[in-house]
Amino acid sequence: MSTTFQLDTSTSRANPTPQPMRRLTVPSIRSRKQGGITEEPLVMLTAYTARQAQLLDSHCDLLLVGDSLGQVIYGLPSTVPVTLEMMANHAAAVVRGSYHAVVVVDMPFGAYEASPEKAFESAAYLLKASGAAAVKLEGGEAMAETVAFLSQRGIPVMGHVGLTPQAVNMLGGYAARGRSEAEAQKIVSDARALDDAGAFAIVVEGVVEPIAIEVTGAVSCPTIGIGASARCDGQVLVTEDMLGMFERVPRFVKKYGNIAAVIEQTAAQYAEEVRSRAFPGADQTYQPK
Ligand code: KIV
């Protein structure tokens, strides 16, 4: 993808002045899969802050404000305690930091399952408070009515099937799904139900590869894999995982960097210079005129 996107953070950390750029739209993402084929896979990464969004934006088709922020940012044990307000605040920051990618915000556990009306209220709040273009919710056939309700009322929905982390208390952990025939067929029928209900894309997480391939062939909208298959219509990873922020990551994560080591080494150098009074130096101190 060619882009004229440029960041100028010289004036202020909070108000960079990028060259104007047209943001992708939900229909443009949906139409990347034509007749079952996606020529160029969709690129999605999670983002939780404005600066992270600035750095990722020009490389991604979609930025996902995932409820994984509960674990990654807040140190929570799972995504279950994440609130609507947390999601709205981080999504607003990501929208402020991006100009190109479609920003999708996760509906947190408890904000949508009870009824389509409850889901509409939560989703409308998230989109109004943040400026994001779409919401994502977990679940298959049980959520199809809700997906149709939102989609028909102007709220684009990304589905999420397979390993659905908000259901950790039902699933008993984060193991890959679809190993038994019954489980595999349930994942396929879940994805079909979301597709029929109008989901514009579906995340397929933590499933055995043949099922990810079957799901991708079975639905008309793009699938976005995570721990799934390179034959999905796109891929997503948690950005901190792929940057190498954490030692322990799921097996499906490829670490493209070692940001944890960079942060540790940099902090160690700073601490050493403070303790030896090498910092601040002449360049970082004000003298009388
Ligand atoms: O919350 C999240 O980051 C997600 C992705 C892992 C798909 O749902």
Side-chain angles (χ1 to χ4, degrees):
M1 183 195 71
S2 79
T3 169
T4 55
F5 186 88
Q6 275 183 353
L7 275 180
D8 173 7
T9 52
S10 60
T11 50
S12 158
R13 282 195 196 91
N15 295 302
T17 53
Q19 288 185 356
M21 181 172 201
R22 272 174 74 89
R23 200 186 277 278
L24 297 175
T25 62
V26 167
S28 72
I29 297 294
R30 171 66 185 78
S31 66
R32 288 272 288 273
K33 185 170 181 175
Q34 294 285 352
I37 309 242
T38 304
E39 295 284 350
E40 190 188 349
L42 291 160
V43 178
M44 181 160 90
L45 280 170
T46 60
Y48 315 123
T49 68
R51 183 60 179 145
Q52 192 180 35
Q54 287 167 356
L55 296 170
L56 303 176
D57 188 38
S58 66
H59 305 286
C60 293
D61 301 302
L62 299 124
L63 290 174
L64 172 66
V65 188
D67 62 351
S68 51
L69 62 76
Q71 289 143 308
V72 175
I73 303 282
Y74 291 92
L76 293 167
S78 74
T79 56
V80 172
V82 171
T83 66
L84 213 47
E85 287 69 30
M86 284 177 183
M87 296 309 304
N89 288 337
H90 286 275
V94 169
V95 170
R96 283 194 291 271
S98 61
Y99 297 84
H100 166 253
V102 170
V103 177
V104 181
V105 54
D106 251 337
M107 299 261 268
F109 178 69
Y112 62 94
E113 301 88 335
S115 67
E117 288 80 6
K118 165 94 177 166
F120 185 85
E121 208 177 294
S122 299
Y125 164 70
L126 284 177
L127 299 196
K128 279 168 182 268
S130 69
V135 296
K136 176 167 83 58
L137 54 78
E138 296 183 8
E141 284 167 314
M143 283 300 125
E145 188 191 346
T146 294
V147 171
F149 191 89
L150 298 187
S151 309
Q152 288 160 14
R153 286 162 179 77
I155 299 184
V157 182
M158 178 179 280
H160 186 154
V161 300
L163 173 58
T164 47
Q166 291 176 10
V168 62
N169 292 315
M170 284 297 287
L171 302 177
Y174 298 103
R177 314 290 299 162
R179 290 197 191 278
S180 73
E181 184 56 25
E183 211 172 83
Q185 286 323 307
K186 173 77 177 113
I187 294 167
V188 177
S189 57
D190 277 343
R192 276 210 179 98
L194 296 176
D195 189 38
D196 291 346
F200 75 93
I202 301 173
V203 167
V204 182
E205 176 167 0
V207 301
V208 294
E209 183 168 33
I211 298 309
I213 295 169
E214 191 177 336
V215 166
T216 300
V219 297
S220 59
C221 70
T223 58
I224 302 184
I226 173 165
S229 170
R231 284 167 62 184
C232 288
D233 302 301
Q235 300 295 325
V236 59
L237 282 176
V238 169
T239 297
E240 281 76 357
D241 285 349
M242 72 97 183
L243 289 177
M245 186 74 160
F246 299 107
E247 275 155 39
R248 286 192 59 209
V249 289
R251 182 175 169 275
F252 56 73
V253 171
K254 178 171 175 182
K255 288 190 190 177
Y256 287 85
N258 191 355
I259 203 80
V262 172
I263 292 173
E264 280 199 308
Q265 283 154 17
T266 310
Q269 186 182 348
Y270 168 74
E272 195 279 314
E273 291 191 10
V274 169
R275 292 188 179 113
S276 67
R277 298 194 191 279
F279 176 84
D283 287 350
Q284 295 95 32
T285 45
Y286 297 104
Q287 300 303 328
K289 286 216 171 94

